[in-house]
Amino acid sequence: MSVSLRTRILVLVVTVTVSVAMVVGFANFIQARSMSRAAAEAELYAEARAISAHLESAFQIANDHAFILRNTPPIDGMIRAQANGGVDPYDGSLYETWRERLEAIFTSHLQVQSEYTQLRFIGLADQGREIVRVDRMNGEIRVVPRSALQRKSDEFYFQAALSTRPSSTYTSPITVNREQGAPAPDQVPTVRTVLPVARPDGQLYGMLVINADIRIVLENALAAATPTYDVYISDSYNNYIHYSPSDGIMNSQFSFEEGFDPPELLSRDGDDLFDAEGVTYASYRFQTGQDGQGIDFRVLIGEPTHELMIGAYAIRQQSILLAVSLVVLTAIGSLLFVTSLTRPLGQLTDAVRSYGQNRTPMDLDVSDNDEIGELGRAFCDMIRALEENELTANTFENIIDGLILITPDGAIQAMNPAASFMFGYAENELVGQDVSVLLPDGASLERDGAFKQIPCFIDHHLVGETFEAVAKQKNSTPLHVELTLSEVQKPDTLLFSLLMRDISARKQMEVMKDEFVSTVNHELRTPLTSMLGSLSLLKKRLETKLNDDDKASMLLNMAQRSCDRLTLLVNDILDLEKIAAGKLEYRMQIIPCDDLVQDVVESHRMLGEEHGVTFKLDLQADDPPVRLDVSRFNQALVNLLSNAAKYSPNGEVVTVSTQNMAGQSIRISVSDNGPGIPEDFQSRLFDRFSQADSSTTRRVGGNGLGLNITKTLIEAFDGEVSFDTTVGVGTVFHITLPIASPEAAQSPDEMDENFVKLYQGIG
């Protein structure tokens, strides 16, 4: 017997309503319980923080007292007197006089601070012999005579204070008080505040030690906070004190006591809020002391769980009554709604069946804003998406370039017929295999005129970039391709499309071009060297004869300058060829920066004089060491000096300065007062053969390669080149280099030897 859709929907709605009512009721109970616990947690934490604040205040007061005692006159007076044969050179007071004054100060301090059991001034000399000591014994304050003073160098707090800065205090763990190297009979749980005391020369002289009875400290903190719940205060060794608002201090135990057995709840770690034995506890941790040298305290404060949950139980009863009412009302409303809903569904079913049979356009009324209208619009959207997918598939199949779809980890998902033909594989032969089958050597990305090898190019930062690679066909024949990576965002996954274009012919032309440039450059160097030598020899031999012939002298000088410029151009092109091929060698060494910059500038002052400018040095970096190739750095800096000299007006000053950048790097700046760099040219400034103004180039000379070479050389030293410019005012070029680590630095003798080589190389 079939059940109608109306009946099934009605049963479903009632079932869902009952389920939702139960879930909502349970969720309300859980939420109420959570809110009750959160409110209790907030209240418990507030009291815990109040207790911790009073306890931290007590330890801070002990720290303050230590500094106050340190700054009393007897401390420094005793140090001065001991260093001066027992007499204070400031006022003539004897060492013993200062000692008696300190005893009096300690005595008055103990009279005020009831929690302190001992005040001591301990020296380093004589195995940490106590210098001054005042005790509280059985309620009486007693000055310990000199004959009874003890050596304390073996005590743990003495050793810990040796590594504490004089401006900081050390707070010891809670231990039993020790006398003569053994636990004292009174078994007082003691915490010590220790302040190192230094002589005027900074050397450690001794230390001030304040012993406090931790029981009194904790009781005072609890009395000041007046908590309304049970409280446990413990440290990392489970020493604890238990307080009840009705009974006060109920119990305290310390690890050195016989029969020490702390409650199990003190051993629970990591729980901020937990239940134990019908009580909900909040745990709050804090540390006393300075510079991390203190006691880790934990405050456990608890409230009976049944009192905490009274509000949650009331909300649970209300939720049950509300759920029953909701089920009844929903059943009545659903019956009316289902009847009106099922009527138009038959009409929609007929229209969908008609489209599935003959693919004819459907006549659907999708103007309604109810579920039926949404269903009709969704079906229309599905039809449009299907037609678009068919169009995309046709495009994928018919594009003339190779197209491969890959996953983020490089697995091939699909490839079009053009890619299959390009590599000689069947259409689905490579599906599921890694793209490295086609690109075994990765790809290379062009950056600043050079190609950087990229083993894995599927990177969000490289989407849209164009790569070059040597691919491998099925028959292992290499194939030069150009790759473009694009991101394909699908609803359920992320894919990448790799568009491949065969550039074998273009690569062959580039090889021919490079071979031509290399051949021309090498063929030019030999005759240029001969011409330069001949011109220099001719100029020297005819020097006296040409004094009266200005025109002949001018022509000879012009020929020599032209040969020099052509030689520089050939050398720059050969350097670019080595850089592009990755064959430029660097002889790296550690060298002082300021001295290196000064030597380069001093050795090329003639360069400035040729253009009518003066080089000025402003070295402010304190000569930190840098790691670089001296010859290549000289080439880079001279390129900047040459540009500054060429573009500066006659009579101007070119400033070369160094600056230490917070101890991490050094900035070398070359500043000129030239025409500045036009804004539309700044983005192409470091490109090869780039020149802002051809007329200016003809006037000052240059081939547009210097800045590109400079940037490449400095980046090889892990540095960078930047500039600041203002049109009509001037330009400042910056070389920023990392400061070499101290362990890598050379000895002064090695540095001096390198400077001799540098001077010989560039002088």
Side-chain angles (χ1 to χ4, degrees):
M1 177 179 178
S2 62
V3 180
S4 66
L5 177 61
R6 181 176 65 178
T7 303
R8 285 183 297 199
I9 294 178
L10 182 60
V11 172
L12 176 62
V13 169
V14 172
T15 303
V16 169
T17 302
V18 172
S19 302
V20 169
M22 295 176 61
V23 171
V24 170
F26 182 73
N28 286 338
F29 172 71
I30 295 298
Q31 184 179 13
R33 179 182 176 183
S34 176
M35 292 175 62
S36 298
R37 291 181 68 87
E41 181 179 9
E43 185 174 356
L44 294 175
Y45 275 139
E47 289 210 358
R49 284 192 292 269
I51 296 171
S52 68
H54 287 289
L55 192 54
E56 289 174 340
S57 176
F59 279 92
Q60 183 59 48
I61 290 173
N63 290 339
D64 295 341
H65 286 167
F67 281 101
I68 291 172
L69 294 173
R70 167 63 185 90
N71 292 322
T72 56
I75 299 293
D76 290 328
M78 294 173 67
I79 295 175
R80 293 193 300 269
Q82 187 180 40
N84 195 46
V87 180
D88 187 351
Y90 279 17
D91 61 2
S93 296
L94 298 178
Y95 178 85
E96 189 62 30
T97 301
W98 283 123
R99 185 177 173 280
E100 292 173 354
R101 293 172 182 171
L102 187 59
E103 289 175 346
I105 292 173
F106 281 2
T107 300
S108 62
H109 214 74
L110 282 178
Q111 291 172 348
V112 176
Q113 300 300 133
S114 62
E115 69 271 22
Y116 293 168
T117 58
Q118 284 184 3
L119 290 178
R120 291 177 288 169
F121 182 33
I122 303 175
L124 292 186
D126 194 13
Q127 301 181 24
R129 171 80 69 176
E130 295 172 334
I131 300 173
V132 175
R133 171 173 170 172
V134 179
D135 291 348
R136 186 193 305 275
M137 296 287 293
N138 299 323
E140 296 182 359
I141 298 174
R142 181 178 67 91
V143 176
V144 178
R146 298 190 66 170
S147 60
L149 296 177
Q150 305 174 30
R151 295 183 176 92
K152 296 294 183 178
S153 61
D154 292 335
E155 296 294 340
F156 73 94
Y157 60 84
F158 184 94
Q159 297 297 325
L162 295 180
S163 60
T164 302
R165 295 183 291 108
S167 60
S168 299
T169 59
Y170 165 73
T171 302
S172 74
I174 301 171
T175 60
V176 66
N177 183 40
R178 296 172 60 84
E179 301 296 342
Q180 303 296 341
D186 55 7
Q187 294 282 296
V188 175
T190 302
V191 61
R192 302 163 187 83
T193 300
V194 186
L195 174 64
V197 176
R199 294 195 295 262
D201 60 1
Q203 297 297 316
L204 189 64
Y205 178 83
M207 59 194 72
L208 281 166
V209 183
I210 300 176
N211 284 22
D213 187 336
I214 192 62
R215 293 172 300 190
I216 300 177
V217 174
L218 295 175
E219 289 172 4
N220 290 344
L222 288 168
T226 61
T228 57
Y229 301 104
D230 274 11
V231 177
Y232 286 90
I233 302 178
S234 64
D235 65 359
S236 56
Y237 299 96
N238 285 341
N239 299 306
Y240 75 94
I241 186 169
H242 180 199
Y243 170 87
S244 170
S246 59
D247 302 325
I249 302 298
M250 298 183 62
N251 190 19
S252 64
Q253 283 192 337
F254 299 90
S255 58
F256 55 81
E257 295 177 339
E258 185 175 355
F260 175 65
D261 185 20
E264 184 179 351
L265 62 87
L266 298 182
S267 302
R268 297 188 62 162
D269 293 329
D271 294 329
D272 292 333
L273 195 70
F274 63 91
D275 298 327
E277 299 178 357
V279 180
T280 299
Y281 287 97
S283 174
Y284 182 76
R285 300 177 185 272
F286 64 97
Q287 186 184 66
T288 63
Q290 296 182 339
D291 298 336
Q293 302 189 70
I295 303 175
D296 293 321
F297 279 107
R298 183 187 189 191
V299 177
L300 286 179
I301 186 164
E303 178 183 8
T305 304
H306 69 276
E307 295 181 6
L308 183 148
M309 295 296 295
I310 291 176
Y313 295 146
I315 291 177
R316 181 174 61 182
Q317 297 298 327
Q318 296 173 3
S319 297
I320 293 174
L321 294 175
L322 182 62
V324 172
S325 302
L326 181 63
V327 169
V328 173
L329 293 176
T330 302
I332 297 173
S334 299
L335 180 61
L336 300 175
F337 172 74
V338 170
T339 301
S340 64
L341 176 66
T342 54
R343 187 178 299 111
L345 284 177
Q347 300 173 358
L348 179 60
T349 302
D350 293 339
V352 171
R353 184 179 293 111
S354 175
Y355 178 82
Q357 292 174 352
N358 52 32
R359 302 284 293 228
T360 58
M362 294 188 304
D363 184 16
L364 288 179
D365 182 10
V366 295
S367 60
D368 293 339
N369 291 324
D370 57 6
E371 288 78 3
I372 303 300
E374 285 292 331
L375 181 59
R377 286 190 291 272
F379 190 79
C380 292
D381 291 340
M382 182 189 69
I383 297 301
R384 285 193 294 270
L386 179 61
E387 293 172 350
E388 290 175 358
N389 287 338
E390 292 177 350
L391 178 61
T392 301
N394 290 333
T395 303
F396 181 78
E397 293 293 326
N398 297 311
I399 190 172
I400 61 173
D401 289 326
L403 186 61
I404 299 177
L405 291 180
I406 52 179
T407 62
D409 59 359
I412 297 175
Q413 290 287 337
M415 57 193 303
N416 70 342
S420 300
F421 177 78
M422 182 184 299
F423 292 101
Y425 288 96
E427 183 174 349
N428 296 321
E429 188 174 351
L430 293 180
V431 173
Q433 298 191 42
D434 194 83
V435 72
S436 60
V437 174
L438 303 178
L439 303 168
D441 298 324
S444 58
L445 176 64
E446 186 174 8
R447 282 286 187 266
D448 300 325
F451 282 93
K452 178 182 178 182
Q453 196 68 18
I454 303 175
C456 181
F457 50 84
I458 304 176
D459 193 311
H460 288 287
H461 300 292
L462 301 178
V463 170
E465 299 280 2
T466 298
F467 306 87
E468 289 189 6
V470 178
K472 186 174 71 173
Q473 296 177 318
K474 185 175 182 179
N475 59 6
S476 298
T477 302
L479 178 68
H480 289 276
V481 293
E482 182 178 82
L483 314 174
T484 301
L485 185 68
S486 301
E487 190 175 286
V488 181
Q489 189 68 53
K490 302 186 74 174
D492 56 344
T493 186
L494 173 66
L495 296 176
F496 292 93
S497 67
L498 200 57
L499 186 66
M500 297 187 174
R501 178 168 296 172
D502 186 350
I503 57 169
S504 300
R506 190 181 77 189
K507 296 300 292 185
Q508 185 177 4
M509 291 297 297
E510 289 178 357
V511 170
M512 295 173 62
K513 180 200 71 175
D514 292 342
E515 291 177 351
F516 174 76
V517 171
S518 177
T519 301
V520 169
N521 275 285
H522 286 290
E523 290 299 326
L524 280 175
R525 296 190 78 179
T526 300
L528 275 175
T529 303
S530 300
M531 290 170 63
L532 277 173
S534 300
L535 286 171
S536 298
L537 182 61
L538 180 62
K539 183 177 179 181
K540 185 174 181 180
R541 290 189 176 185
L542 300 179
E543 185 173 357
T544 57
K545 297 181 181 181
L546 294 177
N547 286 339
D548 298 330
D549 192 345
D550 293 338
K551 185 174 182 180
S553 179
M554 179 187 69
L555 292 174
L556 190 58
N557 289 332
M558 184 184 301
Q560 188 171 15
R561 285 195 300 269
S562 298
C563 286
D564 287 336
R565 288 177 58 188
L566 189 56
T567 301
L568 289 175
L569 175 61
V570 171
N571 289 336
D572 285 347
I573 292 177
L574 289 177
D575 282 344
L576 283 177
E577 182 184 353
K578 291 180 180 178
I579 291 171
K583 297 180 180 179
L584 192 63
E585 296 182 356
Y586 299 97
R587 298 181 178 180
M588 307 297 283
Q589 58 181 300
I590 306 296
I591 208 77
C593 184
D594 281 356
D595 290 344
L596 174 60
V597 172
Q598 182 175 0
D599 282 354
V600 174
V601 173
E602 294 295 344
S603 301
H604 292 84
R605 286 195 178 275
M606 283 295 292
L607 180 62
E609 294 175 3
E610 290 177 3
H611 296 278
V613 299
T614 303
F615 291 151
K616 176 185 175 183
L617 284 168
D618 181 18
L619 306 179
Q620 302 291 335
D622 297 331
D623 219 12
V626 291
R627 185 173 183 272
L628 44 72
D629 183 316
V630 173
S631 176
R632 294 300 179 183
F633 175 80
N634 174 74
Q635 180 182 357
L637 184 55
V638 169
N639 280 342
L640 298 184
L641 292 174
S642 176
N643 284 350
K646 291 176 183 178
Y647 288 97
S648 292
N650 191 33
E652 289 288 349
V653 174
V654 173
T655 302
V656 182
S657 62
T658 61
Q659 180 183 2
N660 195 314
M661 309 298 288
Q664 300 297 319
S665 60
I666 180 172
R667 172 180 282 184
I668 305 162
S669 302
V670 179
S671 174
D672 65 54
N673 298 313
I677 302 171
E679 183 176 357
D680 59 351
F681 178 68
Q682 293 177 13
S683 61
R684 298 179 287 113
L685 184 63
F686 292 102
D687 294 347
R688 289 179 289 180
F689 300 104
S690 62
Q691 294 171 336
D693 187 347
S694 59
S695 62
T696 304
T697 302
R698 287 193 297 269
R699 177 174 61 83
V700 301
N703 51 45
L705 296 175
L707 288 178
N708 179 269
I709 293 175
T710 295
K711 185 174 186 295
T712 302
L713 295 177
I714 295 302
E715 289 176 350
F717 309 147
D718 296 327
E720 63 179 19
V721 179
S722 59
F723 66 91
D724 300 310
T725 185
T726 302
V727 177
V729 177
T731 302
V732 182
F733 277 90
H734 305 289
I735 295 177
T736 303
L737 295 171
I739 295 177
S741 58
E743 58 270 18
Q746 295 170 290
S747 66
D749 293 339
E750 293 173 327
M751 293 184 184
D752 292 341
E753 180 180 357
N754 284 329
F755 275 116
V756 171
K757 295 179 180 178
L758 170 64
Y759 180 81
Q760 294 172 347
I762 66 178

